[in-house]
Amino acid sequence: MKLKTVTEEELETMSYDDVAYVILKEKGKKMKLIDLFNGVCEVMNLDQSVKDDYIADFFTLLSTEKRFIQLDKGFWDLRENHTSKIELSDIDDDEEETEDDITSDEPEEDETMYIDETREEDDDETDDEYKDLVVMDEESEADL
């Protein structure tokens, strides 16, 4: 979409961030916040009093809108212009493992394994504790 081809009716339905998106898309480069807001106000035919009242709201709008990204020194741009491209072949080369890199879950010869024998005894006591327990359904309970 080009701003020159936008009609008055279409412009009335556009939000500030939509106009800012089109401006940044057409320019193709980052802009200072005030310059971007002045461009939006110019396109939407807003007067100076509106500019002064809504600059903070415009900043908040851009900050929360995922299409925009804030850069250093007060510049803003479209997030789509700042995506990183990663070559998968570069990642694959870095992550190749050798047999030396792979670790085993088995203990080495000098490692000693300890078994907690008290735990097995505790399990047996728990089973004995519940040996006389009887599970009853609702019908059996009504008979009592």
Side-chain angles (χ1 to χ4, degrees):
M1 171 186 290
K2 300 241 182 214
L3 286 176
K4 294 177 183 178
T5 62
V6 176
T7 65
E8 289 286 328
E9 293 82 26
E10 291 174 328
L11 195 57
E12 288 176 6
T13 62
M14 292 178 72
S15 62
Y16 293 166
D17 58 322
D18 290 334
V19 175
Y21 179 84
V22 174
I23 290 172
L24 284 170
K25 191 78 168 170
E26 283 183 2
K27 283 246 185 200
K29 62 179 184 175
K30 63 186 179 181
M31 293 179 69
K32 289 265 190 182
L33 177 70
I34 192 68
D35 296 332
L36 182 57
F37 186 64
N38 285 335
V40 169
C41 292
E42 183 180 315
V43 168
M44 299 185 86
N45 298 320
L46 302 175
D47 60 6
Q48 186 63 37
S49 64
V50 173
K51 288 181 185 182
D52 296 338
D53 293 341
Y54 289 106
I55 185 71
D57 292 335
F58 183 70
F59 173 79
T60 303
L61 180 65
L62 290 187
S63 298
T64 57
E65 175 65 48
K66 293 182 180 187
R67 295 182 291 177
F68 302 97
I69 186 170
Q70 185 176 11
L71 305 172
D72 292 337
K73 300 179 183 175
F75 283 96
W76 287 82
D77 201 0
L78 299 176
R79 185 173 300 276
E80 63 194 41
N81 295 338
H82 296 272
T83 57
S84 58
K85 295 180 181 177
I86 300 173
E87 292 290 327
L88 292 179
S89 60
D90 294 341
I91 293 173
D92 291 340
D93 292 343
D94 292 341
E95 293 182 0
E96 285 184 16
E97 293 182 353
T98 62
E99 288 184 30
D100 296 335
D101 294 338
I102 300 173
T103 59
S104 173
D105 290 339
E106 297 178 18
E108 293 183 20
E109 291 178 21
D110 61 336
E111 290 184 27
T112 306
M113 293 185 62
Y114 296 97
I115 299 174
D116 185 8
E117 294 177 6
T118 60
R119 185 169 183 193
E120 290 178 18
E121 292 171 8
D122 291 342
D123 289 344
D124 291 341
E125 289 175 14
T126 305
D127 291 342
D128 290 341
E129 188 177 321
Y130 296 112
K131 71 179 179 182
D132 294 330
L133 186 66
V134 177
V135 178
M136 298 178 65
D137 59 3
E138 291 178 13
E139 291 175 12
S140 302
E141 191 176 317
D143 293 338
L144 293 175

